[in-house]
Amino acid sequence: MTESSPIEPGSVQPARVALDRRRYLRVAAFLARLFAHILWWDWLLRKLIPEGLPAATADRRWRRLSGEFRELAIDLGGVLIKLGQFLSIRVDVLPPAVTEALAGLQDEVPEEPIAAVRQVIETAFGRPLGEVFVELEPRPLGAASLAQVHRARLSDGRRVVVKVQRPGIERKVETDLAALTLGIRGLKRFRFIRQRVDVDLLYAEFARITRAELDFEHEAANAERFRANFADDPALRVPRIEAPLSRRRVLTMEDVSAIRIGDLAALDAAGIDRGALATKLTEVSMRQVFEHALVHADPHPGNLFVHALPRPAGARPEAPRPFAIAFVDFGMMAEVPERLRANLRDYAIGFATRDAERIVRAAYEAGFILPGADLKRIEQAQAAILKRFWGVRMGQLQDVALQQARQLGEEYRDLLQSMPFQFPADMLFVGRALGMLSGMATRLDPGFNAWSAIVPYAMRLAGDGAGAGHRPAFDRATLNELLAWLRPLLTLPRETERFLGEVAAGELRVRVSPAADAREAQRETLRALRWLRQAVIHAAFLVAGSVLWSAGPGWLPAGLMAFGGAGLLLSLLRR
C-alpha cells in the first residue's frame, strides 16, 4: 500500500527508521542514573538499615526523580510523555510519590508550525493543500506529543477535523522504545518487580499500543468498530471517518465537537442533568468492558463532548435537556483478553451480591492476586471494605476513606506489608480507562451513587432476565433485603462442594486466626525486633570506627563513627 492510497486496516509493525543517537543517549543516561539510585538506596542500604535513612527519605527521593523524568519528557516529547502517563496508573507496582508526581503529566509540548503541518498533508496526498481542503485553520484545536488536530472545510462546505502526525515522530518513537529496552532489562533483575508484573509483556503491550497510535488506518478501523458496537444507542456518537481524505499519517473525520464534558458551567447553562450524564457515562463504560470487550483507553475530558439535544414536544422548559455523548480519538484502544472475560463477569456479579469470596476467587483466577497469597485473609479484608463503603456516594468517599483508612490499615497491616497483588499487563489500559471514567463521573456529580448505577447492570449479567426495557418488580430497598436473605443460599452449595472436595482429597486444613489483640502483640514484637536489629547494626559501625580510630585517626574511622553514632541515636530517640 502506498502513502497516497485510501486507508485500510493494517497491522502494527515497528517503523524502519534510523534511530536518533543523541536522543537515545539522553534517555539511556537518565535510566542509568535511575538504576544506580535504586541499587544504592533501595537495595544495598535497605538491606543494611531497612528502617533507617532509605525509608525515611524514600518519598522525597522518588518525587525528585519523578520530577526530573517529567522535565525530560516535556523537553523531548514523544514516547516519554506516554510513558509518564502510563506509569502514573501503576499504583499496584510503583510508590505513591511516583504516581502522584506523574498523574498530571499531559502532552505539554509546543504546537507544530502550520508550514510543517501543510507539508505532511501535501506529502501524504501528493498534491497541494488547496486541492485537499478548501480551508485549514492554522491554529490547532489541540496539540499532543504524537499529533495535532486542526479544523478544516471541504469543497462541499462541510466542516471536518483533521488529525496530522508530527514530522519525524516515528523516528522519535522508535528511538525511545529502543532506549526503554535497557530499562526493561534492568527492571527484570529486581525480584519484587518480577513478582508483581510480567515486565516483558508490559513493555510489549505499551509498545504495541504506542505504535498503533501512529497508524491512522488502525485508528479509523477502531472508530468504525466502536460505532458499530453502540449503533443501538442514540445517546452515544462516534465521528464518521472520511476515508477518501485519510491516509496513514492524516486522518479526516466528522466534526462532533460540542460542550466539553469537563465544562461544568456550560453543561449547567445548557440544562443538562449532570447526575444523569454521570450515570450514562458509567453505563457506557460497563458496556465497553462486559459486552464488547473493546475499551476506549484514553477517555480524558478533551476526548469527550456532550451534545444538548432538543427537548421533546410538550416538555416543560425547566425539564432537563436530552443529551448525547461523543467520543473522539480512537488511537488508544484496549481489548479485554478472552481469558479474563468470564473472571470479570464473576467479579461484577460478586460485587453486586456483596459476595467477598466470589470477588476474591474471580480476582485470583484472573491473575490479580499473586500465587500463594492468603486468600482467606484477603476475603476478610474485601468483606470489611464492602461493609464499610457500600452505598457511600462518590463525593463522600474521600472523607469516609480518611476516617476508615487508619483503622483498616492497622487491622490488615499484614496484607499491606506483603502486598500480594498484581495487575495483568494486558489489562492495564482497561483499568486506566475505567479509572478515568470513574473520576469524571465523580466530578460531574459529587453526589453520584455509583453503586445504584453498577448493581443493576451486574444483576443483568447474573442472568436475572432484565433487558434494556425491563422495569424492576421491586424497589431498591426490597431488592437489597432479598439479596441479604438469598446470599447464604446462593453460596451454600459452592461452599459445601468445596468442603467435601477437600475432605475427599485429604486436603482439609484448619487455620486458627489470632485475635485482634494477639495480632497487635505480634506486631509490637516484630517492631521491637526490627529496632534491635537496627541498633545492633549501628552499634557495629560505631565500634568498628572506634577500633580503627585507635589505630590511627582518619576520614574512614571518623565517618564510620559518625554514621553509627547518628544511627544509634536516631534509633534510641524513635524507641
Side-chain angles (χ1 to χ4, degrees), residues 161-395:
V161 167
V162 184
K163 185 175 180 180
V164 185
Q165 276 185 27
R166 291 179 177 273
I169 191 61
E170 288 185 334
R171 187 184 186 197
K172 291 181 180 180
V173 166
E174 293 304 326
T175 298
D176 292 346
L177 290 176
L180 290 177
T181 57
L182 298 175
I184 295 299
R185 294 194 194 105
L187 286 174
K188 289 164 67 174
R189 296 183 178 274
F190 294 100
R191 181 177 177 275
F192 71 95
I193 292 179
R194 290 199 313 269
Q195 185 182 32
R196 285 175 170 78
V197 64
D198 184 334
V199 181
D200 289 323
L201 181 59
L202 184 70
Y203 172 79
E205 181 73 357
F206 178 74
R208 183 187 68 81
I209 290 188
T210 300
R211 289 184 176 119
E213 281 198 86
L214 293 176
D215 185 356
F216 288 171
E217 302 167 358
H218 222 67
E219 180 171 345
N222 287 338
E224 293 302 327
R225 184 176 170 189
F226 197 84
R227 175 204 297 282
N229 288 343
F230 287 94
D232 62 340
D233 190 347
L236 192 135
R237 294 184 177 178
V238 177
R240 294 188 179 278
I241 304 299
E242 298 287 342
L245 296 176
S246 297
R247 298 293 185 269
R248 186 179 179 84
R249 301 181 64 197
V250 179
L251 185 64
T252 305
M253 68 201 86
E254 176 188 5
D255 185 358
V256 295
S257 57
I259 303 172
R260 289 188 179 274
I261 200 166
D263 191 344
L264 305 185
L267 293 172
D268 292 338
I272 292 173
D273 183 343
R274 287 198 267 133
L277 182 58
T279 300
K280 181 62 181 178
L281 205 59
T282 303
E283 177 197 328
V284 169
S285 65
M286 293 296 99
R287 290 193 64 187
Q288 288 182 71
V289 173
F290 295 108
E291 290 184 24
H292 308 140
L294 180 72
V295 179
H296 188 298
D298 196 23
H300 63 73
N303 283 340
L304 280 87
F305 298 92
V306 181
H307 290 257
L309 305 179
R311 290 186 176 89
R316 300 191 310 274
E318 66 274 14
R321 290 275 294 271
F323 60 83
I325 302 174
F327 280 73
V328 300
D329 193 352
F330 296 89
M332 289 179 66
M333 300 293 291
E335 292 203 43
V336 179
E338 181 68 35
R339 64 183 180 82
L340 294 181
R341 293 174 191 175
N343 300 132
L344 291 178
R345 182 178 180 275
D346 272 354
Y347 188 97
I349 295 170
F351 177 83
T353 57
R354 282 181 269 180
D355 183 346
E357 188 274 336
R358 186 167 191 165
I359 291 174
V360 173
R361 178 165 52 85
Y364 180 79
E365 292 176 358
F368 289 86
I369 300 174
L370 292 171
D374 186 346
L375 298 185
K376 279 297 179 184
R377 186 67 174 151
I378 299 174
E379 285 177 25
Q380 293 171 5
Q382 180 64 61
I385 291 171
L386 288 172
K387 181 179 179 180
R388 298 183 191 189
F389 294 104
W390 186 269
V392 176
R393 294 180 179 273
M394 299 302 288

Side-chain angles (χ1 to χ4, degrees), residues 8 47 74 141 179 218 221-222 230 239 245 315 380 382 388 395 400 412 435 459 487 549:
E8 297 173 0
K47 285 183 177 294
I74 294 173
L141 288 174
H218 222 67
N222 287 338
F230 287 94
L245 296 176
Q380 293 171 5
Q382 180 64 61
R388 298 183 191 189
V400 174
Y412 298 101
M459 292 303 294
R487 193 177 300 112
W549 184 273

